[in-house]
Amino acid sequence: MKIAISSDHGGNRLRHEIMDLLSELGFAYEDFGPDSDESVDYPDFAAPVAQGVASGEFDRGILICGTGIGMSIAANKVKGVRCALVHDVFSAKATREHNNSNILAMGERVIGPGLAREIASTWLGTSFEGGRHERRVAKLTELEG
Ligand code: RB5
């Protein structure tokens, strides 16, 4: 599984924590920055991850900003993206099983690194259930026009 990851300045520290986790778990990932703590605009950093996942270049994406909200809004503008903003382990599992989410967004200013690690590893390790959820996810794709 190939993963794309980025953040804005508000998610820089947590992005590094999650990249450490990906290495520990043996996942291949590409880091889309940013390279410093300088203030940046989150849509600029959401775009390469969202486009990379939508195009199939990456299997999954992880986006982090201060709240996770800006990143998730930006990613969900890209056709083919189902980005879930998650701050608890139950939702991390459910959004993979039910929504087949392909991008995870989290907020560094909302949760601590320990919980973020649990969320990311649960989200990465949970499969889509299919069945009735297949029909619902297809309807999400229909809404994209
Ligand atoms: C940056 O200050 C902050 O607005 C951003 O990280 C994010 O929370 C936006 O949704």
Side-chain angles (χ1 to χ4, degrees), residues 20-102:
D20 288 347
L21 173 75
L22 294 175
S23 301
E24 286 162 28
L25 296 176
F27 286 106
Y29 67 86
E30 188 165 335
D31 175 25
F32 287 88
D35 294 330
S36 78
D37 285 332
E38 209 175 291
S39 181
V40 294
D41 298 333
Y42 56 79
D44 297 339
F45 288 83
V49 170
Q51 287 158 356
V53 170
S55 73
E57 188 185 348
F58 295 96
D59 302 294
R60 306 267 195 95
I62 299 179
L63 294 171
I64 302 166
C65 63
T67 58
I69 297 171
M71 282 297 209
S72 61
I73 292 172
N76 279 317
K77 301 281 182 201
V78 176
K79 262 189 184 186
V81 166
R82 290 177 303 280
C83 176
L85 172 58
V86 175
H87 289 130
D88 67 277
V89 175
F90 175 83
S91 301
K93 185 166 179 281
T95 189
R96 284 291 309 132
E97 290 174 341
H98 293 194
N99 315 121
N100 200 12
S101 54
N102 49 15

